[in-house]
Amino acid sequence: MKSVNSKLALGLLGGLAAGALLGVLFAPDKGSNTRKKIADKGKDYADDLKNKYDTILGSVTRKYENLFQEGEDLLADGKSRYEQIKAEGKSKFNDLKDEAKSKLDEAKNEVSAYKA
């Protein structure tokens, strides 16, 4: 939708420029005045186009920076979650290891008691 609006705006600007140029060319005035008017109009349209370009470039730059920042935030969040899950996994593994060792020791004690 924005692409269509941008194309429409550029088309309108181009049409206005062509109309203004033709109007100046066919106006009854001295050649030097006509050339000056054409140069002035051309400079005005160039300035307008530069302003539009700067506006679009600024908008695209801001969107890119926001997207980049969101990506960095997402990556940091993912790393944080990974570290948290890793720590929880280690903790559970150590708990299970300790429990298994405890049960093994109990079993050894029962076997030793049974032999004695």
Side-chain angles (χ1 to χ4, degrees), residues 67-83:
L67 186 61
F68 188 80
Q69 184 61 48
E70 286 176 14
E72 284 184 334
D73 293 346
L74 185 61
L75 184 61
D77 186 44
K79 284 181 179 179
S80 173
R81 287 183 183 180
Y82 167 76
E83 292 299 327

Side-chain angles (χ1 to χ4, degrees), residues 41-106:
K41 286 289 183 185
K43 185 179 181 305
D44 290 344
Y45 288 124
D47 288 344
D48 286 345
L49 220 67
K50 184 183 179 313
N51 288 337
K52 291 210 180 290
Y53 173 78
D54 290 343
T55 300
I56 291 169
L57 182 63
S59 174
V60 168
T61 301
R62 279 189 303 278
K63 287 179 182 179
Y64 169 77
E65 288 171 350
N66 289 341
L67 186 61
F68 188 80
Q69 184 61 48
E70 286 176 14
E72 284 184 334
D73 293 346
L74 185 61
L75 184 61
D77 186 44
K79 284 181 179 179
S80 173
R81 287 183 183 180
Y82 167 76
E83 292 299 327
Q84 180 183 5
I85 290 170
K86 180 178 159 185
E88 288 174 5
K90 261 187 176 177
S91 175
K92 286 184 181 184
F93 174 77
N94 288 333
D95 290 347
L96 288 173
K97 184 174 81 172
D98 291 344
E99 185 180 339
K101 186 176 179 186
S102 174
K103 293 213 183 231
L104 181 63
D105 289 342
E106 285 178 21

Side-chain angles (χ1 to χ4, degrees), residues 1-45:
M1 185 72 176
K2 287 187 178 189
S3 176
V4 172
N5 289 340
S6 296
K7 288 179 183 178
L8 180 64
L10 287 175
L12 285 173
L13 268 174
L16 287 171
L21 179 64
L22 288 174
V24 170
L25 283 175
F26 289 111
D29 207 350
K30 291 168 79 176
S32 60
N33 288 341
T34 301
R35 285 190 297 276
K36 183 175 179 348
K37 286 180 184 178
I38 290 172
D40 289 345
K41 286 289 183 185
K43 185 179 181 305
D44 290 344
Y45 288 124

